[in-house]
Amino acid sequence: MPEEELRQEIFDRSDKNKKKLIELIDSGEAILLAGAGVTASMFVTWKGLVDKFQQAAIEAEPDFVPFNGDDETYLDFFDRVKLVLNGPIYTNVIMQTFRTDEFEDYHKLMVSMPFKGFVTTNYDLVLENALTQATRKPQLPVYIDDGVNAKVLLDFFKSLNFNKPNTRKIFHIHGVHFATNTILLSQTEYMEKYGYVLTQPTPEILAELGNPELTQDQINNALSRSSLRWTTHRKVLWSLLATRRVVFMGFSIEDPYFLEMLNMVKDDLNTYNDEVHMAVFRLAEGGVIKALETEKELRKFGIECVFFDDDKTYSGFAKFLNEISASVSTHSSILKDNAAPVAIAEPEKDQQESLDHGKQELPNWMNDQNKTLSKEIRNEN
């Protein structure tokens, strides 16, 4: 069948699913899971991030072997980088890349929709910036860190039960740029945080664990190699995928550890060919075969696909969000003058906002409050 006919078939199915997506979002029962595509217009692509780390690694060690996608994965590459760069340099690249007080107009559309809450794999605070501006209340990121009181996680899960004004939170499952020990980027970091490896050897695990001389790190490593260690990351993600309806945006759903979590939920709850979650993808010229493969692959996890038309300008996502936002209600925590699904009007002078090609920046007083509260969140109070 010609590509144009296949493309039309995909969009015909997508139009039906788009109606389901609008109904799901408008019901107030969904949570948004935002991937790198949601903030890609403001930061580097994966290739760009690789280039940044590669440059730093070569400066530290001129013989550093450049990334080769045919021989290694991104995860393995970042493990090699960590061996070359000392901790401060490695974490500084992340900090400098993803630190910003800005957001795009369409980010405010996203946080204005009646999602129960937000989960993101991104290290930046773009969604917090947009939600802070839309509600005029400082928004603190939620993340998993030994230095953060576990009650913070409990508050996040409790917030998903109410969907009331000013209770919504943004959870960073893969860490935030300013808390560098929370970052998941390399294979080792994923294994440590999720508690398993993708290519599992078959050690005599019970005999190995019976050694009384093992250190705690050695015990954790053995449990991870056998996928027996249910870490906090693993528990949280399983809980969200198993008990909530998720809308994926800007997320390719190709992360191997994330796919493994979807597999676990599928095995536990038989999500095959069910209507559980929904995912939004761009469909540009030449992407038909990939789109068909994605539909088939995700169906077994209970994920239905919605595609939007896009081109080399990457403007399709913002247009799609405008369309969806116009069809759903605005969350009650959002000020009425921020609810319209169009480009944001010129601000008044006393708002002290700056606009630059669709970007917005938080007022100084919000930045000051966010910085103060971010320090407080890490103590036991």
Side-chain angles (χ1 to χ4, degrees):
M1 184 180 294
E3 179 171 330
E4 193 55 41
E5 291 184 28
L6 288 173
R7 185 183 181 87
Q8 188 57 52
E9 282 191 8
I10 291 174
F11 279 123
D12 287 343
R13 288 192 297 272
S14 182
D15 286 342
K16 295 178 181 178
N17 285 343
K18 187 188 298 184
K19 295 177 182 178
K20 296 179 184 178
L21 174 65
I22 291 172
E23 291 175 359
L24 174 58
I25 295 175
D26 205 35
S27 72
E29 293 301 315
I31 63 174
L32 173 67
L33 200 155
V38 165
T39 57
S41 62
M42 299 178 63
F43 305 109
V44 296
T45 62
W46 270 105
K47 182 181 182 303
L49 188 60
V50 166
D51 290 343
K52 278 197 170 190
F53 273 104
Q54 188 162 276
Q55 181 180 352
I58 291 175
E59 290 177 359
E61 186 177 294
D63 294 334
F64 181 82
V65 179
F67 173 72
N68 186 337
D70 295 331
D71 298 329
E72 66 180 344
T73 66
Y74 285 136
L75 300 182
D76 292 328
F77 166 78
F78 288 118
D79 263 336
R80 287 202 298 117
V81 168
K82 289 191 72 176
L83 292 175
V84 173
L85 301 181
N86 61 38
I89 296 178
Y90 178 79
T91 55
N92 187 60
V93 174
I94 298 172
M95 172 76 79
Q96 295 301 321
T97 302
F98 296 102
R99 181 173 57 188
T100 183
D101 294 327
E102 296 181 337
F103 59 93
E104 301 276 6
D105 291 346
Y106 65 82
H107 294 126
K108 189 152 65 171
L109 295 184
M110 296 180 74
V111 299
S112 296
M113 296 183 201
F115 289 108
K116 278 181 172 292
F118 308 91
V119 180
T120 180
T121 56
N122 299 339
Y123 314 129
D124 59 78
L125 303 187
V126 170
L127 292 183
E128 281 86 354
N129 297 340
L131 192 56
T132 294
Q133 201 274 352
T135 61
R136 297 297 192 269
K137 294 183 180 297
Q139 303 294 327
L140 296 177
V142 180
Y143 51 94
I144 300 172
D145 184 5
D146 291 340
V148 174
N149 193 328
K151 285 283 188 182
V152 174
L153 289 179
L154 177 61
D155 286 343
F156 169 73
F157 276 102
K158 288 170 64 177
S159 73
L160 299 179
N161 295 326
F162 304 111
N163 201 12
K164 293 181 179 179
N166 304 322
T167 62
R168 297 188 301 166
K169 300 180 183 298
I170 302 170
F171 176 59
H172 292 256
I173 186 70
H174 288 174
V176 288
H177 67 79
F178 60 82
T180 49
N181 61 314
T182 68
I183 295 293
L184 275 75
L185 187 57
S186 72
Q187 187 83 253
T188 301
E189 290 163 347
Y190 270 85
M191 190 183 89
E192 175 190 349
K193 302 298 186 183
Y194 277 109
Y196 58 85
V197 292
L198 299 173
T199 53
Q200 301 174 14
T202 55
E204 295 296 331
I205 185 65
L206 294 179
E208 187 175 347
L209 291 174
N211 182 356
E213 297 182 358
L214 289 180
T215 65
Q216 187 60 52
D217 285 343
Q218 290 172 325
I219 291 173
N220 289 340
N221 183 274
L223 291 173
S224 294
R225 284 186 282 115
S226 298
S227 297
L228 296 177
R229 187 164 67 99
W230 275 77
T231 63
T232 301
H233 283 80
R234 196 167 168 183
K235 293 172 185 175
V236 167
L237 189 52
W238 188 96
S239 299
L240 291 171
L241 294 173
T243 65
R244 302 292 174 176
R245 297 197 66 186
V246 177
V247 174
F248 298 89
M249 289 188 183
F251 195 82
S252 65
I253 317 186
E254 294 179 348
D255 181 318
Y257 280 84
F258 206 94
L259 283 172
E260 183 61 24
M261 290 303 303
L262 285 168
N263 260 320
M264 292 179 186
V265 175
K266 174 177 67 67
D267 292 343
D268 291 338
L269 301 179
N270 189 20
T271 59
Y272 184 81
N273 209 28
D274 208 329
E275 297 180 3
V276 184
H277 311 301
M278 305 203 75
V280 176
F281 299 104
R282 70 188 294 264
L283 179 53
E285 185 178 352
V288 168
I289 301 302
K290 175 67 173 177
L292 291 172
E293 293 173 349
T294 298
E295 280 186 313
K296 182 179 179 180
E297 172 69 12
L298 297 186
R299 195 173 295 124
K300 65 185 179 185
F301 302 126
I303 301 176
E304 296 181 282
C305 297
V306 178
F307 293 93
F308 60 88
D309 195 14
D310 204 4
D311 54 29
K312 294 180 180 180
T313 66
Y314 289 88
S315 60
F317 186 51
K319 293 177 181 177
F320 176 83
L321 282 180
N322 269 278
E323 179 183 349
I324 298 299
S325 179
S327 302
V328 301
S329 58
T330 300
H331 193 272
S332 54
S333 67
I334 306 300
L335 301 180
K336 289 183 178 181
D337 60 349
N338 291 323
V342 294
I344 298 167
E346 188 70 24
E348 297 179 5
K349 291 182 180 180
D350 61 358
Q351 288 179 306
Q352 297 181 12
E353 295 176 354
S354 65
L355 299 180
D356 180 21
H357 302 294
K359 288 187 175 64
Q360 298 190 54
E361 191 171 282
L362 291 181
N364 292 334
W365 69 268
M366 290 186 183
N367 279 321
D368 292 340
Q369 283 192 276
N370 276 335
K371 290 174 183 177
T372 300
L373 291 172
S374 292
K375 293 178 182 177
E376 294 179 355
I377 194 174
R378 295 180 64 83
N379 65 34
E380 293 301 315
N381 296 324

